[in-house]
């Protein structure tokens, strides 16, 4: 007979929830949402062993009227006053790098756990801050930094065998997806951007959303986690949203495809192939139909693809993920994270081989096809839409496309654009 357990497991005795004093760095859209949710969600948090107590909030200007100011015990501009309150955990919701870096460093050096949604901070200083946290037996959680409303980062960080990933293809910026979805539904670019700002989706400087800088930072964090390789987000080839014409979205729809803000990276032997750009997706691509602010990610691994979709931005979902991180920090056992040592830098960062969606004005379809073919690029489809001529090409290098675009301009073509085109066949989920 096999005795599986020598001793019966002890009955689970419910213990009183631990009171956790939260120090809030920032009381803007996200910080205020954290303060409100900590009150509204007191019951489910208590059921998970945590009774949040909102301590001091550190802000840039304490004289500004803040509706959430009444929810915290003090609002101060003074970092010493903030740390004198002895928070059990710091929730960083300041955004930006310089001030956040100094304050998170101070908290971790004092052994205070930190949770943050700040992708700029983690992209720039993640390794250094994680090492600091380790040295001071503190925790740094940043689940809300990528796809804010879908908790997947921490799961993979703690479960290294779940998938061994070699490529990431994702919609990582909610504002950009909301803008393209609204344009699809008849809004102008300016109206769509204004709406995203009104809803609190966009960054304080929304150029970071629409140029692809925000998605590039998130891709860098994901590369570090899944590829164990470091890159500077500024080295990722990026195309801003505002290069698109409404007719580009209409021409794509004629081909039963969609244009979505895509970030992609693959890696091998230290070389990274990556881009951030609005991209043409075949209708049956798993990311083609993500609406509004929804984000999505496909992790291609040796055992197949893992896909997640869900809300990617907005104060409410970000606050929920930050507070769940607080619960994890408050209730965690001692967990060692993998690969805390600094990851090596990529040896090369360049654009992957992709198909291309090409637009030109003032040239015919046959002129466009001839000129692309002269550059060694084969067309799969050609069409005219309004003043523009469009081609969908077979895979080609960025350099090949650049040289073809130069030739198109030299031949009198105007408004030349080439964005990546991704095939559904290579993205099965
Ligand atoms: N501005 C960001 C976005 C917020 O739109 O995705 C979430 O990181």
């Amino acid at each position: 007979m096999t005795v599986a357990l020598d001793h019966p497991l002890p009955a689970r005795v419910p213990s009183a929830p631990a009171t956790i004093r939260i120090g809030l760095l920032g009381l803007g859209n996200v910080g205020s949402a954290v303060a409100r949710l900590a009150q509204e969600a007191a019951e489910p948090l208590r059921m998970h062993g945590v009774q949040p107590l909102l301590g001091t909030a550190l802000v840039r200007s304490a004289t500004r009227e803040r509706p959430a100011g009444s929810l915290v015990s003090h609002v101060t501009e003074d970092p010493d006053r903030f740390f004198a309150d002895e928070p059990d955990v710091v929730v960083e919701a300041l955004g930006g790098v310089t001030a956040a870096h100094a304050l998170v460093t101070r908290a971790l050096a004092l052994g205070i756990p930190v949770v943050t949604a700040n992708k700029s901070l983690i992209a720039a200083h993640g390794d250094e801050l994680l090492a600091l946290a380790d040295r001071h037996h503190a925790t740094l959680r940043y689940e809300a930094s990528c796809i804010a409303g879908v908790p997947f980062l921490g799961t993979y960080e703690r479960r290294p065998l779940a998938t061994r990933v070699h490529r990431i293809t994702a919609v990582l910026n909610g504002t950009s997806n909301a803008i393209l979805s609204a344009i699809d539904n008849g809004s102008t670019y300016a109206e769509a951007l204004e709406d995203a700002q009104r809803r609190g989706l966009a960054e304080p400087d929304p150029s970071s959303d629409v140029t692809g800088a925000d998605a590039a930072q998130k891709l860098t964090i994901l590369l570090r986690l899944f590829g164990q390789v470091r890159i500077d987000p500024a080295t990722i080839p990026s195309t801003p949203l505002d290069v698109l014409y409404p007719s580009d979205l209409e021409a794509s729809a004629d081909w039963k495809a969609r244009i979505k803000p895509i970030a992609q990276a693959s890696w091998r032997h230290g070389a990274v192939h990556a881009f951030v750009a609005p991209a043409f997706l075949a209708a049956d691509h798993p990311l083609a139909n993500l609406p509004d602010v929804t984000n999505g990610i496909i992790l291609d691994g040796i055992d197949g693809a893992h896909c997640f979709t869900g809300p990617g931005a907005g104060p409410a979902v970000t606050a929920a993920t930050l507070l769940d991180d607080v619960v994890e920090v408050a209730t965690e056992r001692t967990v060692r994270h993998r690969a805390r040592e600094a990851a090596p830098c990529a040896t090369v960062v360049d654009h992957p081989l992709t198909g291309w969606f090409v637009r030109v004005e003032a040239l015919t379809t046959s002129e466009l096809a001839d000129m692309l073919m002269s550059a060694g690029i084969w067309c799969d489809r050609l069409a005219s839409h309004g003043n523009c001529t469009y081609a969908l090409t077979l895979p080609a290098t960025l350099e090949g496309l650049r040289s073809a675009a130069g030739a198109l301009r030299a031949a009198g073509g105007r408004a030349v654009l080439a964005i990546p085109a991704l095939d559904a066949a290579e993205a099965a989920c």
Side-chain angles (χ1 to χ4, degrees):
M1 189 177 88
T2 306
V3 178
L5 288 170
D6 290 340
H7 308 289
L9 288 170
R12 243 185 122 199
V13 182
S15 52
T19 302
I20 301 297
R21 190 167 186 79
I22 297 176
L24 262 177
L25 293 176
L27 208 50
N29 280 342
V30 172
S32 299
V34 168
R36 280 193 295 272
L37 189 62
Q39 292 216 324
E40 286 161 21
E43 184 54 20
L45 292 173
R46 201 181 60 77
M47 298 288 286
H48 281 79
V50 171
Q51 188 157 328
L53 189 71
L54 292 166
T56 297
L58 180 69
V59 297
R60 290 188 171 98
S61 164
T63 50
R64 217 178 97 193
E65 192 66 29
R66 293 166 199 278
S70 61
L71 302 177
V72 298
S73 68
H74 291 97
V75 177
T76 181
E77 291 174 22
D78 177 3
D80 294 336
R81 172 75 188 77
F82 175 83
F83 284 104
D85 198 30
E86 298 190 352
D88 296 311
V89 57
V90 166
V91 175
E92 189 276 306
L94 285 170
V97 176
T98 309
H101 180 240
L103 292 161
V104 168
T105 298
R106 182 165 171 182
L108 293 173
L110 289 168
I112 303 171
V114 175
V115 310
T116 179
N118 189 335
K119 55 268 161 154
S120 311
L121 176 68
I122 299 299
H125 296 291
D127 273 350
E128 164 208 323
L129 292 173
L130 286 165
L132 181 68
D134 270 356
R135 284 204 300 281
H136 293 275
H137 309 289
T139 306
L140 173 64
R141 288 281 165 89
Y142 51 95
E143 182 67 64
S145 65
C146 298
I147 316 192
V150 180
F152 72 104
L153 272 188
T155 302
Y156 283 103
E157 197 176 24
R158 288 183 285 278
R159 304 184 73 83
L161 302 183
T163 184
R164 278 154 283 171
V165 177
H166 56 81
R167 186 176 62 176
I168 294 164
T169 308
V171 172
L172 294 175
N173 183 266
T175 300
S176 306
N177 198 24
I179 290 173
L180 290 184
S181 303
I183 295 174
D184 261 336
N185 293 327
S187 295
T188 64
Y189 177 86
E191 288 165 350
L193 174 56
E194 204 179 304
D195 189 51
Q197 288 179 287
R198 189 186 48 72
R199 293 164 63 197
L201 306 177
E203 297 302 300
D205 173 3
S207 66
S208 150
D209 294 290
V210 298
T211 58
D214 176 85
Q217 288 169 347
K218 292 166 177 168
L219 192 60
T220 303
I221 295 171
L222 296 169
L223 259 170
R224 170 68 186 87
L225 177 62
F226 292 106
Q228 290 88 48
V229 64
R230 266 191 307 151
I231 60 170
D232 176 350
T235 61
I236 299 176
S238 297
T239 306
L241 276 198
D242 64 4
V243 296
L244 293 173
Y245 290 177
S247 66
D248 301 336
L249 278 70
E250 292 157 12
S252 304
D254 288 348
W255 280 336
K256 308 230 174 314
R258 306 293 294 273
I259 295 181
K260 289 286 172 191
I262 296 295
Q264 188 181 72
S266 55
W267 52 93
R268 199 173 154 79
H269 304 316
V272 171
H273 308 288
F275 71 84
V276 172
F280 174 100
L281 301 186
D284 48 355
H285 191 285
L287 303 177
N289 295 304
L290 299 181
D292 194 32
V293 69
T294 306
N295 282 190
I297 186 163
I298 303 169
L299 300 166
D300 286 303
I302 56 173
D303 302 317
H306 292 207
C307 304
F308 298 88
T309 65
V317 295
T318 307
T321 301
L322 285 167
L323 281 174
D324 276 346
D325 268 354
V326 169
V327 172
E328 286 203 354
V329 164
T331 57
E332 75 184 343
R333 313 284 177 266
T334 307
V335 176
R336 302 302 302 173
H337 298 276
R338 71 170 159 154
R340 276 294 166 79
E341 66 277 11
C345 290
T347 50
V348 180
V349 181
D350 65 11
H351 200 288
L353 198 68
T354 62
W356 296 88
F357 176 78
V358 182
R359 173 193 74 207
V360 64
E361 278 181 11
L363 293 178
T364 64
T365 49
S366 56
E367 287 169 330
L368 175 56
D370 285 348
M371 301 202 70
L372 287 171
M373 207 184 299
S374 306
I377 298 167
W378 293 85
C379 289
D380 186 34
R381 291 189 208 172
L382 289 155
S384 294
H385 190 99
N387 294 333
C388 298
T389 302
Y390 291 94
L392 194 60
T393 80
L394 297 184
T397 62
L398 178 62
E399 292 67 36
L401 251 292
R402 281 192 177 141
S403 109
L408 290 169
R409 286 188 194 101
R414 295 195 305 267
V416 178
L417 171 75
I419 58 173
L422 302 186
D423 200 335
E426 50 158 323
C429 253

